[in-house]
Each structure stands twice: as C-alpha cells, then as structure tokens.
Amino acid sequence: MDASDGKPGGGGPDDAGVPERNWAGNVRYAAARRHRPAGLDELRRLVAGSDRIRAVGSGHSFNRLGDTAGDLVSLAGLPQTVEVDRERATVTVAAAMRYGDLATRLHAAGFALPTMASLPHISVAGAVATATHGSGDGIGNLATAVSALELVTADGDLLTVRRDEGGDRFAGMVVALGALGVVTRLTLDVVPAFEVRQYVRLGLPRAALDEAFASAYSVSLFTDWRGGADGRIGQVWRKQLADAPPPPADWLGTTAAAGPVHPVPGMPARNCTAQLGEPGPWHERLPHFQLGFTPSSGDELQSEYHLPRAAAAGALAALDPLADRIAAVLQICELRTVAADELWLSPQHGRDSLAVHFTWIGDGDAVAPVLAEVERALAPFTPRPHWGKVFTVEPAAVAAAYPRFADFAALARELDPAGKFRTDLLDRYLPR
C-alpha cells in the first residue's frame, strides 16, 4: 500500500501543469518528466519518442496504476471537444473531459448518459479504462456506453476502433488500464435527457437488500459495519425516475431522512446532490456529490471488490466476523449493484455483480492489515478488485477471475511489444 507525507488532494500541478500526486495524496508520481501537450500532433511525437509513458487524468486512482518513472502526460491541454451526433445518439468527447462537465453540455443538448459514477469529478478516459461505474440492477458500468475510441499507439500512430467494426477484439480494448496506448477521444451512447428524484431512507433490514436494490433506477446502500449481522443498513439512496411514485412511509421498514444527509458521518450535506424527492436533471441526481464541492471526505483511501450478484448474502456474512476490525478504520462502506457486460477486463464481465466499496481513513499503515483480512474473507467468492483502488489480491487470483485475461495480455503484447505503457503495477498483474 502506498503512503506519503502529503495531504489528500495535495497533488497540485507542477510547472508543466501535470499533477505531482494523485487526488488522495497517497501516491507521489515518480515521473522523470511531465508534459501537457497542446495538440494531438505534439502528443503523437511525445509518445513515439518515449520509452515509458502514461497519461494522467483526474488522479482518482488510489494505487500506482497511472504512475511511471518515465514520461507522465496530461491531456488537459488538448481541445476539450464535445460532439453530439443526434442521428446516431452518440457523443464524442475528449479523453480528459470530466464527467460533470460533459454531462452539463450533454444535458443542454437534450441528451443524457444512462449512468454516472458517484462523483462527477473523474475524467471520462480514466473512468472507462478502469471500468468505474454507477449503480443499478439493470445498468452497466460507464465503459459499457463506449461505442468507439481513438488512441495513440506505441509508435505514435493514431488508431480508431469501433464497436460495430471491431468484433470481439473491441471488447478487449475498452477497459484497457492504459496498457494499449494513450486514449484521446471516446464515443459514448446517449439517451434522451430525463429527470430523477432522490430519496434517502434510514435503517434498512439486511434481509431486504435485494428488494431495495430492485426498487429504483439506481440504488446505493451505506453501512458503517457497526451494526453487526443483525444490524441495519444506515442509509439507502434511492434515485428513481421522476414520474415514479415516491416510496411509502413504511417502505421496507425504514424511515425517511428528515433532511439532506452525507454518506460519510460528519461531512456536510451541502456537498451532496439534492435529496428529499426534489426532481432534477439526471446529472444533478445520479452522482452522490456535486461537481463544485469536495467529493466523499477527501482524506481517505478506497478499496472496492466486485462479487457475483448471487453471492451477495454469503459474501456479506463472511465479512460479519470482521465488523469491528473494519469499523475501526472505516469512514463508510457502500453497496451497489451493476449489470453484467462482455468487456474483457470489466469487473462485471459475464456476471451481474455486487460492488462492496470501502472508504477507509487516510492511514495506509492502519488500513493494510484490515484490508488483508477483508480479502481473505472474500476470496471464496472470486472477488474482482477495482483496478484503480487499493488492493493486494495475488496476481494469479486476479487473472483466474477473468475468463479473457490471457487474451488481453496477448493483445497488450501485440500493441505494445516494448512495454512503453507499462507500470510497476501492470508488470505485477499483467504477464509479458
């Protein structure tokens, strides 16, 4: 687990306009050189002339997936284009664009993304590359919306791949961990803009999890693990379509929150999206946090494990004996569901999933032994760790959890035979 003496969120840009640390502050980037090209041709020359290079987005990875000892490049200096194709119902967007900025422009054009992550601050390319997601029984992760992407390959060439032309290979190139090249533009499927109401309910019985997850368009449950196996889930965030009826007063044995709340105890509710059933545009309700405020708590580490949906009850029961250990270093734990997809390195590949997300305190030394216990408890359920969070699952176990892992490794060797886009983390988990 990486640690530093910096403050979370302290990764300000250096003279080249490239962050020195990740958003949480627990990773100081090791790059010898930092770049912020102003145009595509400059980026292509930079990639072609580098021995080791990685693109950095919003820095919301909590591990060293985005780190390199060579050249670190920010794409924030490239034109931040948003091109809506009304006939095809797609939007083509610059890789470094933040989801919150994209959503505002997309909504103004009358369109929406089917889902949003809990925070709108993350970059489109970074979220797609790591299969970051929103929540909903019938909703895939953010990467499932990708219908085309453009990337600069190891020799500096520009490659465009499309879902309708790339066949099976396309499914291996979307969630690619930055291992195939520097993604510069992505095309995403969109839907007509819609409105959402958000209700927060308190005190959900554990036995009602499945019914709660199925009750709205997007649902997130928050627990502090202090209630034990017989305890209740502290908060249920229900994001329902605006024309759906509100939950009844006695919904699943819960009570309605009396006012706006924050999922992390002690944090101000004003940082969060509007609640209490107030209708609003999709992009102002599907995330948990507002774009203009610090998301989550800021001073934190994060881990997340994706489990087969059918194993949810067993997996949570396996964690119950660790409740006190977890609670001692936990800020909040979020439970959410994500629909299956066919993307090779997506944690939801081939299976509907339960995501168990831990927002830990910002003390890596204190979290590490608890994390090891959590991973041992979840091991029988074939967990797939989020690629951009803190985890220590052994490489063999990670590879075994993905039916197409060997195919992706071969694809990476084909497109990047010299390992230009490799990192220490990729060298550990992705065989040459």
Side-chain angles (χ1 to χ4, degrees), residues 86-136:
R86 295 181 176 277
E87 183 176 343
R88 296 183 179 180
T90 63
V91 60
T92 299
V93 58
M97 180 78 69
R98 296 187 304 174
Y99 268 98
D101 297 323
L102 165 62
T104 300
R105 296 173 65 173
L106 194 56
H107 182 75
F111 289 97
L113 299 170
T115 188
M116 292 278 283
S118 59
L119 57 155
H121 307 67
I122 55 179
S123 68
V124 175
V128 165
T130 54
T132 298
H133 59 87
S135 65

Side-chain angles (χ1 to χ4, degrees), residues 141 334 338:
N141 66 48
E334 180 178 4
V338 192

Side-chain angles (χ1 to χ4, degrees), residues 200-401:
V200 177
R201 306 288 302 195
L202 308 178
L204 179 76
R206 176 83 74 85
L209 257 63
D210 285 344
E211 191 172 352
F213 280 131
S215 70
Y217 186 82
S218 173
V219 177
S220 290
L221 314 183
F222 293 95
T223 178
D224 59 11
W225 284 99
R226 288 174 171 82
D230 297 327
R232 291 176 174 246
I233 301 296
Q235 298 179 11
V236 181
W237 289 43
R238 298 178 68 259
K239 302 167 189 285
Q240 64 179 56
L241 299 180
D243 58 358
D250 61 348
W251 181 78
L252 298 182
T254 64
T255 59
V261 298
H262 193 291
V264 179
M267 294 299 295
R270 67 176 179 274
N271 293 11
C272 299
T273 48
Q275 301 161 31
L276 303 178
E278 178 186 344
W282 57 280
H283 64 292
E284 295 180 359
R285 297 295 183 274
L286 294 182
H288 298 332
F289 307 104
Q290 297 190 61
L291 183 61
F293 292 86
T294 299
S296 194
S297 74
D299 187 1
E300 66 197 68
L301 297 172
Q302 293 183 11
S303 301
E304 185 170 76
Y305 301 92
H306 301 262
L307 311 163
R309 182 70 176 80
L316 295 178
L319 292 174
D320 283 334
L322 303 176
D324 290 343
R325 296 274 287 141
I326 292 171
V329 292
L330 183 73
Q331 297 193 50
I332 201 67
C333 175
E334 180 178 4
L335 309 175
R336 49 193 169 190
T337 55
V338 192
D341 60 61
E342 296 304 319
L343 305 176
W344 293 0
L345 288 193
S346 163
Q348 290 80 46
H349 175 87
R351 68 189 198 190
D352 293 333
S353 300
L354 172 75
V356 183
H357 179 282
F358 299 95
T359 297
W360 307 108
I361 62 174
D363 184 342
D365 291 337
V367 170
V370 180
L371 187 69
E373 293 184 60
V374 166
E375 292 183 346
R376 281 194 293 270
L378 293 179
F381 305 97
T382 321
R384 295 171 178 169
H386 188 296
W387 292 109
K389 311 289 186 183
V390 176
F391 66 93
T392 62
V393 180
E394 287 297 315
V398 172

